[in-house]
Amino acid sequence: MTQTLRDPLSKRRLKAWLRLLNVTRQSENHLREFLRVNHATTLPRFDVMAALWRRREGLTMSELSRALLVSNGNATAVVDRLEREGLVLRTPVEKDRRTVQATLTEAGIRQFESMAAAHENEVNTLFHRLDAEDLDQLRAILQKAVAEPE
Amino acid sequence: MTQTLRDPLSKRRLKAWLRLLNVTRQSENHLREFLRVNHATTLPRFDVMAALWRRREGLTMSELSRALLVSNGNATAVVDRLEREGLVLRTPVEKDRRTVQATLTEAGIRQFESMAAAHENEVNTLFHRLDAEDLDQLRAILQKAVAEPE
DNA sequence: CCTCATAATTTCAAGTTTAAAACTTTAATG
DNA sequence: CATTAAAGTTTTAAACTTGAAATTATGAGG
């Protein structure tokens, strides 16, 4: 209360950001450990496979890096490794020979689906204290935070 | 509405987590770019310096890695580079010769303080759409999310 | 057809990050 | 005192990540 008065909004936004970062890192660390121990994989691999699973027709490398908010060099490296293991396939696009379509192979689909439910369950456990109202509020706040125009 | 009925809480938690991750990564990317362009430094360096600036008496390497939620090997590497540049100092601790106290040097303090206000301002801009009520709600939700006991 | 700006991807070097192993020191226990 | 378990740190290898440069392809305008 008095805190609200002493503390300018700017400092409160900074603190909120630090808290957000903290919760996100804790959760990421937990899920990384979960994927490593239970499914012998890593977070970036899982993220790439999840993105490709959602769009079964595939994604170009640029679409992939934009979707995951990582650099294109990064996407190349992770897809390289997944391709080497036969989980992802690069297909040249006839219409535009600059681009490549990355898709999950059959093995990739099988592997991802064998992890997806357990992963969702782990996230569910991780955030089990948040009820429907919390989730609604959180969504509203996060959407507001990244809204485009002013 | 019907969505709420069709969608079990588990799926909503998963979506909330993906949104949280997305907002955090967007913000991290923005701040990384900001630090690179305006202050010729990186996010991990900034994080380490911020942690050491808060506790002027210094932190052991373990305390540092726990505070930043990174591995101890990671802390070692970042501190190594900062030490090489004269921004951080490692001091052996007499009481326990296993531990090292990492502190900011004078130059480190000067450099951090020259960045801190601009960084806070950037975060303030980034989250300017969130008002006091949003920040309160967000804090409550994040605290609830990571609460210890059941 | 040629040129040039742009786009998609990869390559590259440097830095970041993790998990596990190695090393040193401490503390406890017999 | 010797042994052993635990704690703090560093080292190591592999993976991840970025930003910039290089490569290849497209498309527009001369």
Side-chain angles (χ1 to χ4, degrees):
Chain A
M1 310 295 113
T2 48
Q3 180 71 358
T4 304
L5 289 175
R6 269 193 276 106
D7 224 22
L9 215 42
S10 166
K11 279 224 162 20
R12 297 186 58 191
R13 293 200 177 98
L14 179 57
K15 285 185 185 174
W17 162 240
L18 296 178
R19 253 191 296 269
L20 189 63
L21 197 51
N22 195 269
V23 170
T24 302
R25 286 195 182 159
Q26 270 187 244
S27 307
E28 273 191 321
N29 287 347
H30 180 98
L31 292 173
R32 174 183 299 116
E33 169 84 358
F34 169 78
L35 289 174
R36 182 177 62 81
V37 170
N38 297 71
H39 298 280
T41 191
T42 66
L43 218 35
R45 283 161 122 92
F46 183 85
D47 288 345
V48 166
M49 294 181 78
L52 296 181
W53 187 83
R54 269 169 196 247
R55 293 244 263 125
R56 216 56 76 77
E57 72 275 17
L59 290 167
T60 68
M61 297 304 289
S62 294
E63 289 171 336
L64 187 57
S65 61
R66 272 194 298 272
L68 302 181
L69 300 176
V70 300
S71 69
N72 39 10
N74 182 0
T76 295
V78 178
V79 167
D80 278 351
R81 281 184 283 269
L82 289 173
E83 197 178 24
R84 225 178 294 132
E85 296 173 24
L87 300 169
V88 165
L89 194 66
R90 275 185 175 95
T91 314
V93 174
E94 320 121 33
K95 303 268 297 185
D96 185 342
R97 296 217 306 276
R98 292 171 300 180
T99 66
V100 191
Q101 201 80 359
T103 51
L104 285 183
T105 61
E106 276 304 319
I109 293 173
R110 269 200 309 277
Q111 167 160 336
F112 179 77
E113 289 180 348
S114 82
M115 300 188 287
H119 173 262
E120 177 181 330
N121 188 60
E122 197 65 19
V123 171
N124 188 43
T125 303
L126 203 46
F127 293 102
H128 76 276
R129 295 176 200 85
L130 301 188
D131 58 28
E133 192 191 340
D134 295 327
L135 296 173
D136 275 343
Q137 286 186 358
L138 184 55
R139 169 173 50 197
I141 292 172
L142 292 177
Q143 267 175 6
K144 193 172 171 186
V146 296
E148 257 328 298
E150 165 55 346
Chain B
M1 306 296 109
T2 47
Q3 180 70 355
T4 304
L5 290 175
R6 268 195 276 105
D7 222 19
L9 213 42
S10 167
K11 279 223 163 18
R12 297 186 59 192
R13 292 200 178 99
L14 179 57
K15 285 185 185 174
W17 162 239
L18 296 178
R19 254 190 296 271
L20 189 64
L21 197 51
N22 196 269
V23 171
T24 302
R25 285 194 183 160
Q26 270 187 245
S27 307
E28 273 192 320
N29 287 348
H30 181 98
L31 292 173
R32 175 183 298 115
E33 170 84 358
F34 169 77
L35 289 174
R36 182 177 62 83
V37 171
N38 297 71
H39 298 280
T41 192
T42 66
L43 217 37
R45 283 160 122 93
F46 184 84
D47 288 345
V48 166
M49 294 181 77
L52 296 181
W53 186 82
R54 268 168 196 250
R55 293 243 264 126
R56 217 55 76 78
E57 72 276 16
L59 290 166
T60 69
M61 298 303 291
S62 294
E63 288 171 337
L64 187 58
S65 61
R66 272 194 298 271
L68 303 181
L69 299 176
V70 300
S71 70
N72 38 11
N74 181 359
T76 294
V78 178
V79 167
D80 278 352
R81 281 183 281 270
L82 290 172
E83 196 177 25
R84 227 179 291 133
E85 296 173 24
L87 300 169
V88 164
L89 194 65
R90 275 185 176 95
T91 315
V93 174
E94 320 122 32
K95 302 268 297 186
D96 185 342
R97 295 216 308 274
R98 291 171 302 181
T99 66
V100 191
Q101 202 80 0
T103 51
L104 286 183
T105 62
E106 274 306 317
I109 293 174
R110 269 199 311 275
Q111 167 162 336
F112 179 77
E113 289 180 348
S114 81
M115 302 187 288
H119 173 262
E120 177 181 329
N121 188 59
E122 197 64 21
V123 171
N124 188 44
T125 302
L126 202 47
F127 292 102
H128 76 277
R129 296 175 198 84
L130 301 189
D131 58 27
E133 193 191 339
D134 295 326
L135 296 173
D136 274 343
Q137 285 185 0
L138 183 55
R139 169 174 51 199
I141 292 171
L142 292 178
Q143 268 174 7
K144 193 173 171 184
V146 297
E148 258 329 297
E150 166 57 348

